[in-house]
Structure formats: structure tokens, C-alpha cells
């Protein structure tokens, strides 16, 4: 039984490795993968039955119960059915007294595996070490019960020599293979999920209207999206593993590398403007480079994303030019207004001076004209009234009247003017 166990362990290891290969290679074609897995499980059973433990002629024991129960649990109905047909057909072809029981063992192992899978899919049980040990014990307990259907003279010999060692060895062997296959399933599921995430990211990146790329810490390109590939004039397959020095002129490559070193040294994102010649023009990109951290917090790569701001730069330049023109016009108008204000102030000063001159003139006229006129009128009144004596000749009296009337008339004119 020990030799049988060693042989069974070797077959189980081979099965796990081959199953890992099958799951990875045919994960994109589920039906074909299931068919290959079924043939693999059935083929392993056939190999095991080639060198079995034979208790009596026609009654053989091997690890097929372990393999087939796992085919139902981890492979499902299609894998289990194919494996059962192959193993059952070969066991029936071998024949012997135990052929019927051997086929029954094959069918029961697959059915129990499918039952376990059914319960696990509905969340009733888990697939762990304890659960697999219990499952192995159930499977091989059923196998021992099926042994009782052998001819009576064989049953006692089987029970004495095989039943207990089979339960003690094949039960942990079932758990061992289950753990291996569960680990394979987990790994394949993780790889599949990672592959799907990568494909989704690539689809998203390739259809993004910005340039995206990832470099390792040595400056080698790991991935670029379609926009970057068009901008660089390369393909993703060509640029992978190459550095900026392999793609761009030395000056431009050194500028890119200097920006990468800033991110590596500071561990923080950095924003800059980059120029790329395209055809007969140069496009400007606003680029953000950022560190990508690993599980331990160390920088494992440098990511870069950039958006084309060429049109925005043109608009900014036009706005700046318009702003300068506006400032110049404002300065010119301000100077004109200043000149107007200065001229208006000078005009006000001239008007004020003129007003002052007018007031001074009128005051002088009032004093200089009225004073002598008042004297003339007053003296002429006194002379007409002969206040200090007679005038004498009548001709002088006429003259005085004319002087008096002329003075009055002149005074009225001056009053009107003032």
C-alpha cells in the first residue's frame, strides 16, 4: 500500500502540473479546455490502472477514486463525465471479478465530486483542508462499502488487507490533491482577473484622448497607449524595453530623463510642458509624471499622462497680445485724458484770471469814473445854485447847465455799463 501511495502521489503531482497547463492554455476556450481536462483526468486514471495493487486476480486498487472525485469537484459535469467514460471504459475492458465494483467506484467518485461542487457553488460548504479531508473520508468510505459487493470470498480478504490502509492513505491524498487543484484554480482565477484588468486598462488607455505611458525605474518603456504610439511614431511592441534615448534625439531624451529623475528623487508627481514635433508643426503637451508604488511602498515605475494644449497655448498668446494692445490703448487714452484735464485746468485758470481782471476793471471803472463825475455834478450844482455868489454873465449859467446835464448823462451811461 505504501508503494501504491507513492505512485499515487507522483500521479497526483503530474496531474496538478498538467491541469495547471491546461487551465492557463485553454482559458480563452472553456469548452475545449474542459474536454482536454476530462481526457487528462481519465488518462491519469488509465495510467494508474496499468500498475495497480491486485488483491486477487481481477480485483485491483489504485488512486482513480481520488482523481475522479477531483474531476467532478474542480472540473464540473463535462470534465467529470469525460474522465468517467475513459476510466470506466478502460476498467470494463480490463474485466475480472471486480470490474463491476470498479466501474461503480468510478461513477460514485465523480458523482460525489459533483455533489461537493454543487454545495460549494451555493455557499453551503467551503473548499479547505478540513472540508477536503472530510470529503476524502466520505468518498473512500463509499468505496469501502462498494467493496462489500465483491464475491464473498474476496470481501473478507479486501477488508483485512485494504480497507483500513485505503482510508488512512487515500483520505489525506484526496485533501492533498484538492489543495493543489484549488491553488491552481486560485492562481488561474487571479491571472484571468489580472489579464481582464490589463485588457480593460489597455482598451481605456488606447481610446483616451491623452497620451499615456509607463516606464520602469531604469527608464525603459513598459506600456504606451495608442495616442503616445502615434505621437512617438512607434508601436507598443517596438518601444517596450527601450529608453527615451533609443527613440528621441539626445537633447529631448535627456530632458525627459531629467523629469523622470525628479519624480524618482522626490516621490511626488511633477507637472511640466513638453513639445513634440508632428509633421510641419510642434504640439505642446501638459504632462503630469507620477510615481507608481509597489506593495512595500517603493517606487516600481513612473507613469505619465499628457493632454494636448497646443490650441490653448495659441489662444493664450492671442489673449496676451490682445491684452497688450488693450493696455497700450488704455495708456494712450489715459495720456489723452491727462492732456485734456491739463488743458481744461489751464482754461479754468485763464477764465479765473479773466474774471478777476474783469472784476478789477469794473471796480476801477466804478471808482475812477464815478468819482470825478460826482465832483463835476456836485460842483456844477453848487455853481448853478450860486452857493458862493452870483455867476455874473448869463452865458456862464448856460454853460453850467450843459456841464451838469452832460455829467448826469455820462453817469447814467457808466451805471448802465457796470
Amino acid at each position: 500500500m505504501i508503494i501504491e501511495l507513492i505512485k499515487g502521489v507522483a500521479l497526483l503531482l503530474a496531474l496538478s502540473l498538467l491541469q495547471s497547463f491546461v487551465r492557463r492554455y485553454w482559458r480563452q476556450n472553456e469548452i475545449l479546455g474542459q474536454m482536454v481536462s476530462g481526457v487528462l483526468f481519465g488518462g491519469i486514471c488509465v495510467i494508474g490502472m496499468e500498475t495497480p495493487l491486485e488483491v486477487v486476480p481481477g480485483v485491483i486498487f489504485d488512486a482513480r477514486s481520488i482523481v475522479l472525485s477531483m474531476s467532478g469537484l474542480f472540473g464540473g459535469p463535462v470534465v467529470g463525465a469525460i474522465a468517467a467514460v475513459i476510466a470506466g471504459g478502460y476498467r470494463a475492458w480490463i474485466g475480472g471479478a471486480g470490474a463491476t465494483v470498479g466501474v461503480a467506484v468510478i461513477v460514485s467518485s465523480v458523482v460525489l465530486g459533483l455533489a461537493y461542487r454543487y454545495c460549494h457553488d451555493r455557499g453551503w460548504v467551503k473548499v479547505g483542508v478540513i472540508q477536503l479531508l472530510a470529503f476524502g473520508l466520505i468518498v473512500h468510505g463509499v468505496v469501502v462499502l462498494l467493496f462489500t459487493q465483491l464475491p464473498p470470498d474476496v470481501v473478507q480478504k479486501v477488508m483485512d488487507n485494504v480497507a483500513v490502509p485505503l482510508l488512512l492513505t487515500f483520505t489525506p491524498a484526496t485533501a492533498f490533491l484538492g489543495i493543489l487543484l484549488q491553488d491552481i484554480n486560485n492562481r488561474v482565477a487571479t491571472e484571468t482577473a489580472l489579464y481582464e484588468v490589463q485588457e480593460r486598462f489597455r482598451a481605456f488607455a488606447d481610446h483616451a484622448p491623452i497620451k499615456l505611458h509607463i516606464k520602469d525605474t531604469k527608464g525603459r518603456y513598459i506600456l504606451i497607449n495608442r495616442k503616445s504610439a502615434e505621437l512617438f511614431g512607434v508601436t507598443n511592441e517596438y518601444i517596450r524595453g527601450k529608453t527615451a534615448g533609443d527613440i528621441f534625439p539626445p537633447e529631448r531624451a535627456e530632458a525627459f530623463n531629467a523629469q523622470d529623475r525628479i519624480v524618482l528623487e522626490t516621490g511626488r508627481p511633477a507637472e511640466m510642458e513638453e513639445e513634440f514635433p508632428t509633421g510641419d508643426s510642434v504640439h505642446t503637451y501638459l504632462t503630469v509624471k507620477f510615481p507608481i508604488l509597489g506593495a512595500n511602498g517603493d517606487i516600481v515605475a513612473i507613469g505619465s499622462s499628457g493632454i494636448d494644449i497646443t490650441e490653448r497655448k495659441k489662444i493664450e498668446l492671442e489673449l496676451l497680445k490682445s491684452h497688450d494692445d488693450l493696455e497700450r490703448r488704455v495708456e494712450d487714452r489715459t495720456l489723452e485724458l491727462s492732456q485734456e484735464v491739463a488743458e481744461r485746468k489751464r482754461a479754468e485758470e485763464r477764465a479765473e484770471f479773466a474774471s478777476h481782471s474783469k472784476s478789477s476793471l469794473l471796480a476801477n471803472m466804478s471808482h475812477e469814473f464815478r468819482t470825478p463825475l460826482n465832483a463835476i455834478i456836485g460842483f456844477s450844482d453848487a455853481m448853478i445854485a450860486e452857493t458862493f455868489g452870483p455867476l455874473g454873465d448869463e452865458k456862464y449859467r448856460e454853460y453850467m447847465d450843459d456841464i451838469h446835464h452832460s455829467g448826469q448823462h455820462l453817469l447814467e451811461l457808466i451805471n448802465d455799463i457796470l
Side-chain angles (χ1 to χ4, degrees), residues 82-258:
I82 294 174
V85 169
I86 294 173
Y90 188 76
R91 182 63 188 91
W93 181 77
I94 293 175
T100 302
V101 173
V103 173
V105 167
I106 292 171
V107 174
S108 63
S109 298
V110 173
V111 170
L112 288 172
L114 292 173
Y116 191 177
R117 181 186 181 90
Y118 179 85
C119 296
H120 175 263
D121 289 344
R122 280 154 183 75
W124 299 342
V125 294
K126 297 180 179 179
V127 177
V129 176
I130 302 300
Q131 291 83 358
L132 287 170
L133 284 171
F135 174 66
L137 184 61
I138 292 172
V139 170
H140 294 96
V142 172
V143 172
V144 170
L145 289 177
L146 290 173
F147 289 166
T148 60
Q149 304 304 310
L150 293 169
D153 58 332
V154 178
V155 173
Q156 189 62 43
K157 192 172 184 179
V158 170
M159 292 301 177
D160 292 341
N161 298 312
V162 177
V164 174
L166 184 141
L167 290 173
L168 295 177
T169 57
F170 279 23
T171 295
T174 302
F176 174 71
L177 179 59
I179 293 171
L180 290 178
L181 293 177
Q182 179 68 3
D183 181 67
I184 291 171
N185 280 356
N186 292 338
R187 288 176 180 273
V188 172
T190 301
E191 291 173 0
T192 302
L194 180 60
Y195 176 79
E196 291 176 353
V197 169
Q198 290 175 338
E199 288 302 307
R200 290 183 189 134
F201 172 75
R202 178 171 292 281
F204 170 79
D206 282 342
H207 292 85
I210 59 176
K211 71 176 185 70
L212 293 168
H213 67 254
I214 299 175
K215 294 180 181 178
D216 62 18
T217 55
K218 301 298 183 181
R220 295 183 294 255
Y221 286 96
I222 300 173
L223 178 144
I224 64 172
N225 71 338
R226 186 179 302 168
K227 186 70 175 180
S228 294
E230 294 174 355
L231 192 63
F232 297 169
V234 297
T235 63
N236 190 42
E237 292 73 18
Y238 172 80
I239 201 173
R240 189 179 294 116
K242 291 182 172 59
T243 65
D246 300 324
I247 307 299
F248 302 103
E251 299 81 6
R252 189 178 299 275
E254 178 55 31
F256 293 160
N257 293 333

Side-chain angles (χ1 to χ4, degrees), residues 326-344:
L326 179 61
E327 281 190 341
R328 186 168 56 256
R329 287 197 295 271
V330 168
E331 290 176 356
D332 293 342
R333 182 55 182 163
T334 301
L335 181 59
E336 292 175 1
L337 290 175
S338 299
Q339 293 174 347
E340 290 178 3
V341 170
E343 184 65 29
R344 185 176 298 173

Side-chain angles (χ1 to χ4, degrees), residues 62-73:
D62 52 71
R64 80 186 90 119
S65 56
I66 301 174
V67 174
L68 292 168
S69 62
M70 293 297 103
S71 71
L73 174 57

Side-chain angles (χ1 to χ4, degrees), residues 346-365:
R346 288 192 294 270
E348 290 177 352
E349 291 175 351
R350 288 195 298 271
E352 185 178 355
F353 177 77
S355 176
H356 178 74
S357 299
K358 180 190 70 173
S359 299
S360 177
L361 173 65
L362 293 178
N364 289 333
M365 287 179 64

Side-chain angles (χ1 to χ4, degrees), residues 67 302 321 325:
V67 174
I302 300 173
K321 183 179 179 181
D325 293 341

